Amino acid sequence: GAGVSQSPSNKVTEKGKDVELRCDPISGHTALYWYRQSLGQGLEFLIYFQGNSAPDKSGLPSDRFSAERTGGSVSTLTIQRTQQEDSAVYLCASSPIDGANVLTFGAGSRLTVL
Amino acid sequence: QKEVEQDPGPLSVPEGAIVSLNCTYSNSAFQYFMWYRQYSRKGPELLMYTYSSGNKEDGRFTAQVDKSSKYISLFIRDSQPSDSATYLCAMRGSGGSNYKLTFGKGTLLTVNP
């Protein structure tokens, strides 16, 4: 596609529910990243994919967070048993294989946990 | 001490002013330095990146890196109302495993017509 597409753009959920956030990267971009942007905070790295593999999951805040990528394209970030502190904007970015300096971000998925 | 410090502002300037945005950092391993612009309810958009120390110019934007002081700057000349946004600095180390960007919290800039 022309850009990185994320869905849903907004999600309101109740504490304890599971949510899935989707990212569709730019066609041909092999690298995919998830970041989290909380109110008043900078972007926080969550996970990085090269193809379908996630060599670095170190940024995932807890075992309630997981992510997968299939077909070297679409990625899904899943948050189980959501907590209020999970409320944030979840940003996805993609880049070419050697393009860690030139990330293209999507518009984000704004998650609100009540 | 956070790895990257950035004054959140807000910064308000008149149209046509020269704007200076800055970040300091503590990790001497950082080699690549980026500036992103983020409009409200949008994702960050890369403005420019530089490698190691030095200057880089792109139109009205100039990025400077002083590694000896661990200090980076973004200058905007002839600022326009359309430049009103949050500006994020970001940086990373070199090498294949250093793909993770460390961001500042961002500076909110308003350019008044």
Side-chain angles (χ1 to χ4, degrees):
Chain A
V4 177
S5 179
Q6 291 189 246
S7 61
S9 56
N10 280 286
K11 176 72 176 179
V12 180
T13 191
E14 293 180 347
K15 177 181 173 181
K17 301 284 190 182
D18 298 352
V19 297
E20 284 190 353
L21 308 176
R22 175 188 167 105
C23 173
D24 199 345
I26 291 174
S27 178
H29 279 190
T30 57
L32 186 146
Y33 313 76
W34 284 97
Y35 283 82
R36 177 168 74 174
Q37 187 172 32
S38 303
L39 192 64
Q41 301 297 315
L43 275 73
E44 171 192 14
F45 171 83
L46 297 178
I47 190 169
Y48 157 73
F49 286 93
Q50 185 57 253
N52 292 335
S53 300
D56 188 349
K57 304 179 181 179
S58 64
L60 296 177
S62 75
D63 59 8
R64 296 186 296 104
F65 288 72
S66 63
E68 65 175 12
R69 188 180 185 194
T70 55
S73 181
V74 172
S75 176
T76 303
L77 177 68
T78 301
I79 309 173
Q80 296 178 310
R81 305 181 303 280
T82 52
Q83 303 294 312
Q84 288 184 331
E85 61 263 28
D86 299 335
S87 296
V89 177
Y90 289 82
L91 291 159
C92 175
S94 69
S95 75
I97 188 170
D98 57 353
N101 295 327
V102 286
L103 302 190
T104 301
F105 281 88
S109 292
R110 182 174 297 272
L111 174 65
T112 303
V113 182
L114 301 177
Chain B
Q1 180 189 11
K2 285 194 173 291
E3 276 193 298
V4 179
E5 300 276 3
Q6 184 175 11
D7 187 337
L11 183 61
S12 182
V13 301
E15 183 175 354
I18 296 174
V19 177
S20 173
L21 304 165
N22 312 292
C23 289
T24 59
Y25 64 96
S26 59
N27 189 343
S28 57
F30 288 145
Q31 294 284 342
Y32 293 93
F33 304 90
M34 295 122 225
W35 286 96
Y36 283 83
R37 177 176 63 194
Q38 186 175 25
Y39 292 114
S40 181
R41 302 275 175 162
K42 301 290 186 184
E45 169 196 13
L46 179 67
L47 287 174
M48 54 202 308
Y49 77 89
T50 55
Y51 171 71
S52 195
S53 287
N55 294 358
K56 186 173 184 179
E57 186 174 322
D58 184 0
R60 296 184 296 110
F61 298 90
T62 299
Q64 287 186 351
V65 175
D66 181 350
K67 290 192 67 183
S68 63
S69 301
K70 296 189 176 67
Y71 187 89
I72 70 171
S73 301
L74 178 71
F75 297 95
I76 307 173
R77 292 183 299 281
D78 186 26
S79 55
Q80 302 295 310
S82 59
D83 296 328
S84 298
T86 297
Y87 289 79
L88 302 161
C89 64
M91 47 200 79
R92 72 175 187 95
S94 60
S97 63
N98 285 292
Y99 41 76
K100 180 174 74 172
L101 298 183
T102 301
F103 284 83
K105 292 185 178 182
T107 299
L108 178 61
L109 170 68
T110 300
V111 181
N112 301 298

